[in-house]
Amino acid sequence: MHKITYKREMAENTVCHFKVDAPRIARKAKPGQFVVLKANETGERIPLTMGGTDPSSGTIDLIFQVVGKSTALMRTLNVGDAFQDIIGPLGKPTHVENLGTVVCVGGGTGVAVMYPITKAYKEAGNHVIAIIGSRNKDLLILEEEMKAASHDLRVTTDDGSYGHHGFVTDVLKKILDEQKEVKLVVGIGPVPMMKFLCKLTKEYGVKTMVSLNPIMVDATGMCGACRVTVGGKTMFCCVDGPEFDGHQVDYDELVKRQRAYLKEEKDSMDRFKEIGR
Amino acid sequence: MAEEKEKKEKAKVPRQKMPEQEAKVRAKNFNEVPFGYTPELAQLEAGRCIQCKKPKCIEGCPVEIDIPAFVKLILDGDFIGAARKLKERNSLPAVCGRVCPQEDQCEKVCIVGKKEEPVAIGRLERFAADWEREKGDILIPEKAPATGKKVAVVGSGPAGLTVAGDLILKGHEVTIFEALHKTGGVLIYGIPEFRLPKDIVQAEVNYLERLGVKVECNCVIGRIDTVDELLQEYDAVFLGLGAGLPQFLNVPGENFCGIYSANEYLTRSNLMKAYLFPQYDTPIALGKNVAVFGAGNVAMDSARTALRLGADTVRIIYRRSRDEMPARIEEIHHAEEEGVQFYLLTAPIRFLGDDNGWVTGVECLRMELGEPDESGRRRPVPIKGSEFQLECDMAVVAIGAGPNPLLPTTTPGLELNKRGYIVADLETGKTQKSGVWAGGDIVTGSATVILAMGAGRKAANSIHAYLMNR
């Protein structure tokens, strides 16, 4: 059992930040790695990339958006409650090295995943420009943290309620136009964001890494639920990823596979709303 | 002469069938198919054993159970005694009684079987083990004095459970590390409830815990700890990882939604209990028209699961002929009875899908049998121009599994063969890496529960000898 030691509701109460007791994982995990959570006996196994770790207190940071039954149920948990199962760290860590200038782009709750990676690139000696974006001001998360983790933070909102009015890709384009020395772009967020971001960086010939979040079951390479096509080859995101060369990913297939259980997810959510568990 | 006559009389009693759920009924539920013998049936069947002076059946058993002795105890009405006799050699008799391929092992060489049908050793094993468990009369054997040695067992499938059970009795401290959230390995995630009820597996693990085995679930060795880190804390490490890497067909369209590896399909249904969705949160596609590729036990399990989840049509598609099907005859028979159709000498060449990326069909080729290949089986050869399409809204690829590279690739010094399996001495389970043993499917490739247990037994003996000489 993994006790929740801290809880904070963010972004109009659609995003939730937990610190959860998992000392062994906290000690081992590196930026970019994920855990699998199973809230209770009847719960499903869902992958979630860690938003950070604190080895000294033995906790890991879980930041998630309520999108379905499992996350809705998780949000009802409070400090003192516990997750039945947490498995990790899983996946390959982010390959961090000193490249020069790196642009870290986070969209929506992808910012939570981006945060420890951004920190790691800065610590490795890179000049880090960060761009974070959301639909509106209230949905924006971790602005202060990202400011501290980067040298230069740009903020965008789709509706213009805060920061630049528009998409993260608009700001990225401007940076790529102005600064020729960008060596790497890291993009994490909703699939359409990653898709368009990669389309842009491909035009500029800038290497781009993305972190993918397909459906997983065991997340140890055993089932293949998370297969993604990268460079024409089938990869298992759980063990070969979660980070891949963004220019090689088949995003259209990824979106379709993410939506495979839409009907079941809706039924499950409706049932949860009705009976509360 | 009187004795001879008695033997002949015994053989006249036919092999006793286990009562089972009717095919039409069971194809709609997940309850176990056979009910098991009643005491009367068990004793009737046990009476068919002629108690050979030189029994062949013991040699036919990978863990050398004293079969005539346990059968005699059943005949005498000492069912608990029979269970204990089994447990002297086999720590998982309720499991093996259900899933062992007895027809290729003990029953294949049974002397009675030369003229009549062989004694139903597997059914008797199951009966005795179930009797003991259901009566709750579980004997906790005495352990050897503590040696102070610590052993880490990676994986809680049949190999790992056997190693743990053997070594704890020899006085060592044993900790099992399991990657999933439940113990049992393939017994839990792979074999369906209707063939092996999960509370039986749980009972076997509970028994080991009562003996003092520690179990740590949710530990993916290779990630949370490496084998080298385990070796700092433990005197020996046993790797019973299983064959946990699904093989795919590698044909176009295989990533359409609704196409599962058998591992995924069965894990969703068995481990995650998706067949109870929405009481359990994990969903599973409810195909009406299902194609299953492969013809082993896993393919049969997948096909029969699909039926139980409400499919109207389930087809097994296999590129060879009936004679080459690797599944147990009993499983093929059960599947056929329940309504699974067989498309033999048929190979998929591509999947078809709709705009949502969901599978809608599969294009296949007819095959004919050519010359024997390296496996000794006649090689299937495509018939030119024989392409045809089958509709399906769900598919399961059950063509085998390979070695999961997660642990091997994070363990320096571990020798792997060309296919990625761990190289280990087949008599001792010892690997090239000091202090590390391996056994089961991660060494041999996909095999049977009992062979994995046999490998576990040999490794446990070797580990014990190693620990006592240190």
Side-chain angles (χ1 to χ4, degrees), chain A residues 189-255:
Chain A
V191 176
M193 181 205 105
M194 293 192 286
K195 180 181 170 179
F196 288 107
L197 182 143
C198 287
K199 213 176 145 196
L200 177 72
T201 58
K202 203 170 180 179
E203 286 167 20
Y204 286 81
V206 179
K207 189 183 170 186
T208 303
M209 296 299 288
V210 293
S211 178
L212 306 182
N213 55 343
I215 292 170
M216 295 185 185
V217 184
D218 70 285
T220 63
M222 202 184 83
C223 83
C226 65
R227 50 197 200 277
V228 288
T229 301
V230 182
K233 280 188 190 151
T234 294
M235 307 286 244
F236 286 6
C237 185
C238 67
V239 286
D240 299 321
E243 291 178 19
F244 293 100
D245 177 347
H247 295 157
Q248 305 286 324
V249 173
D250 183 340
Y251 294 101
D252 295 343
E253 180 188 272
L254 175 63
V255 167

Side-chain angles (χ1 to χ4, degrees), chain A residues 68-94:
Chain A
K69 191 242 162 126
S70 292
T71 42
L73 176 86
M74 275 160 58
R75 198 184 139 221
T76 65
L77 300 176
N78 290 304
V79 172
D81 292 338
F83 283 89
Q84 185 171 301
D85 301 287
I86 300 185
I87 304 99
L90 297 168
K92 290 182 178 167
T94 307

Side-chain angles (χ1 to χ4, degrees), chain B residues 242-282:
Chain B
L245 183 77
Q247 282 171 6
F248 284 94
L249 295 160
N250 293 319
V251 299
E254 200 164 17
N255 289 350
F256 282 131
C257 299
I259 304 175
Y260 292 107
S261 74
N263 269 1
E264 180 183 354
Y265 189 60
L266 294 174
T267 298
R268 281 181 183 271
S269 180
N270 301 331
L271 175 74
M272 304 311 296
K273 300 212 183 298
Y275 68 91
L276 297 174
F277 182 86
Q279 282 85 13
Y280 280 73
D281 292 340
T282 304

Side-chain angles (χ1 to χ4, degrees), chain A residues 154 164 168-179 200 204:
Chain A
R154 319 282 178 92
H164 169 81
V168 287
T169 38
D170 308 339
V171 178
L172 178 63
K173 186 174 189 311
K174 213 167 145 234
I175 292 170
L176 292 174
D177 282 334
E178 288 165 1
Q179 310 199 25
L200 177 72
Y204 286 81

